[in-house]
Amino acid sequence: MASKAELEHIYTQAKATVEAASDLRELDQARVEYLGKKGRITSVLKTLGQLAPEEKKTVGQAANEVRQRLEQDISARQSELSRAEVAERLATEAIDITLPGRRPAHGNRHLIAQVVKEITDIFIGLGYKVAEGPEVELDYYNFKALNTPADHPARSLQDTFYIKRESVQPADDDIVLRTHTSPVQIRVMKEQEPPVYIIAPGKAFRRDVPDPSHLPMFHQVEGLAVDEGLTFGDLKGTLEAFTKQMFGKKRKIRLRPHFFPFTEPSAEVDVSCAVCDGEGCRLCGSGWLEILGAGMVDPNVLIEVGYDPEKVNGFAFGMGVERIALLMHGVPDLRMFIENDMRFVKQF
């Protein structure tokens, strides 16, 4: 068991070892030797319980003082050695502090992501919620539940990439890359009762050869509203509100009769050209540009998900994001969105 005098002797030895350390590694070894878990000063503190009360107080106080002084000595020596290392590096390494700094490049959202966010924000402001679903989908959700059975001719317009297909004839459990984000609508309606007000942004896939107006992978934002007493007028009003916020207050929309398997009646929706203000120009030709398809949800779809078409009805719409971005920014070729040419990307 150490006494106060022995502690001072240990401190003298420890201080000499600290001052003799030539680098930070040797200094740390000295710290461990005297202040580590098995260090000499730590060992003294562990034996205090064996001393008489008065002696315990005296030796304990002396041990704590020695430890504090040694910690200060180690800290001071550590600062000296660190400054010495920096000075040595500055003397041997060439650093030109007059060179201008290199500012790191900042990334930003891709144009398609920007447009998706803008569309999403508009519909959230109208009271819609965002819904998501798998990009690898079952044939049932992608086609059959959307009133497009195996023998429906509309399937040929969406011939796509199959992950699993047992025969030439489509089956409900065939696995396919979704051709639109409409399957999300089916999944949501099967999980909740009306009212339903959702949008479904995401990727879609079709077997198209890339050209200025087609891509095999593209982005869609589809919307669905199901409630009591909805009319085609509600659909038109919703699309007008979206168009004015997206393209400007002067923009008008035009609805043309069309066919979609899962809506009846259906319409293609055009927006008046921002370049010629509807007069007709090289971009639009007629003064109008097609932006999306829409219609009232077919009763067969409502029955498929367990809704009563006598009590509720709804409308749906879908737009291609690349098409919207093209119209907003005058991009001449859809392939520019996926070529990763920084000269193009940095403009947005």
Side-chain angles (χ1 to χ4, degrees):
M1 291 181 288
S3 63
K4 187 175 181 180
E6 291 173 340
L7 284 169
E8 287 295 333
H9 180 66
I10 293 174
Y11 170 70
T12 302
Q13 292 179 329
K15 185 174 182 181
T17 305
V18 168
E19 292 177 349
S22 59
D23 55 36
L24 294 174
R25 183 182 62 81
E26 291 184 5
L27 180 64
D28 190 61
Q29 290 177 349
R31 180 192 63 78
V32 172
E33 181 181 353
Y34 290 95
L35 298 177
K37 290 183 178 180
K38 298 182 180 180
R40 295 176 63 181
I41 296 178
T42 306
S43 299
V44 173
L45 293 172
K46 290 180 179 179
T47 63
L48 292 179
Q50 305 174 21
L51 301 176
E54 289 298 325
E55 190 179 4
K56 177 179 179 181
K57 179 179 179 181
T58 303
V59 175
Q61 185 176 357
N64 284 324
E65 291 176 355
V66 167
R67 183 181 62 181
Q68 292 173 5
R69 282 187 287 162
L70 184 56
E71 288 175 345
Q72 293 174 359
D73 294 336
I74 292 174
S75 179
R77 185 58 178 162
Q78 186 177 33
S79 298
E80 292 177 5
L81 293 174
S82 297
R83 287 195 297 269
E85 284 190 4
V86 173
E88 183 179 356
R89 289 181 58 190
L90 290 176
T92 56
E93 298 178 5
I95 300 177
D96 187 352
I97 61 174
T98 64
L99 286 174
R102 296 180 180 177
R103 182 170 296 178
H106 292 282
N108 62 281
R109 293 178 183 268
H110 190 276
L111 178 58
I112 297 301
Q114 294 179 36
V115 175
V116 170
K117 184 178 186 303
E118 189 170 350
I119 295 172
T120 301
D121 288 345
I122 291 173
F123 281 105
I124 289 177
L126 293 174
Y128 287 71
K129 295 182 178 180
V130 177
E132 296 181 339
E135 295 175 3
V136 182
E137 188 58 274
L138 292 175
D139 185 282
Y140 170 79
Y141 289 102
N142 195 78
F143 291 117
K144 184 177 179 181
L146 288 163
N147 203 36
T148 313
D151 58 350
H152 200 292
R155 279 183 179 246
S156 63
L157 300 176
Q158 298 187 22
D159 194 13
T160 187
F161 305 101
Y162 280 87
I163 307 301
K164 171 194 169 186
R165 192 168 184 177
E166 300 296 341
S167 64
V168 176
Q169 292 298 322
D172 290 354
D173 60 349
D174 286 346
I175 301 174
V176 62
L177 296 184
R178 66 183 183 189
T179 61
H180 42 194
T181 58
S182 299
V184 178
Q185 302 177 15
I186 300 298
R187 290 182 175 274
V188 170
M189 287 191 287
K190 280 182 171 290
E191 292 176 358
Q192 73 175 75
E193 294 296 322
V196 176
Y197 291 89
I198 62 157
I199 57 169
K203 298 175 184 175
F205 307 83
R206 296 184 187 177
R207 198 180 65 179
D208 288 329
V209 178
D211 63 31
S213 58
H214 296 85
L215 291 174
M217 188 282 291
F218 55 98
H219 297 77
Q220 277 191 336
V221 176
E222 296 206 9
L224 172 70
V226 179
D227 207 339
E228 296 181 5
L230 293 179
T231 68
F232 206 95
D234 297 315
L235 169 60
K236 184 179 180 183
T238 299
L239 298 180
E240 283 184 332
F242 162 74
T243 301
K244 292 183 183 298
Q245 290 190 57
M246 193 73 186
F247 299 101
K249 294 183 178 180
K250 294 184 178 180
R251 302 281 69 80
K252 299 177 182 178
I253 65 170
R254 179 181 70 176
L255 281 72
R256 293 177 289 107
H258 195 71
F259 169 78
F260 297 110
F262 35 85
T263 55
E264 179 62 36
S266 305
E268 290 279 12
V269 182
D270 303 331
V271 62
S272 57
C273 180
V275 176
C276 63
D277 202 22
E279 297 296 326
C281 65
R282 291 182 60 185
L283 176 64
C284 64
S286 64
W288 298 90
L289 292 165
E290 177 190 335
I291 58 169
L292 55 87
M296 302 302 292
V297 178
D298 193 295
N300 290 336
V301 176
L302 297 176
I303 293 172
E304 183 68 32
V305 299
Y307 289 1
D308 185 351
E310 297 296 327
K311 294 181 179 180
V312 297
N313 60 352
F315 59 79
F317 52 87
M319 63 194 78
V321 177
E322 282 81 359
R323 178 72 170 175
I324 300 292
L326 181 148
L327 297 177
M328 292 179 64
H329 299 280
V331 178
D333 192 325
L334 290 183
R335 291 173 293 187
M336 298 177 73
F337 291 126
I338 61 173
E339 289 174 344
N340 293 327
D341 188 332
M342 294 303 294
R343 295 171 299 179
F344 171 76
V345 174
K346 285 183 176 180
Q347 296 181 52
F348 309 100

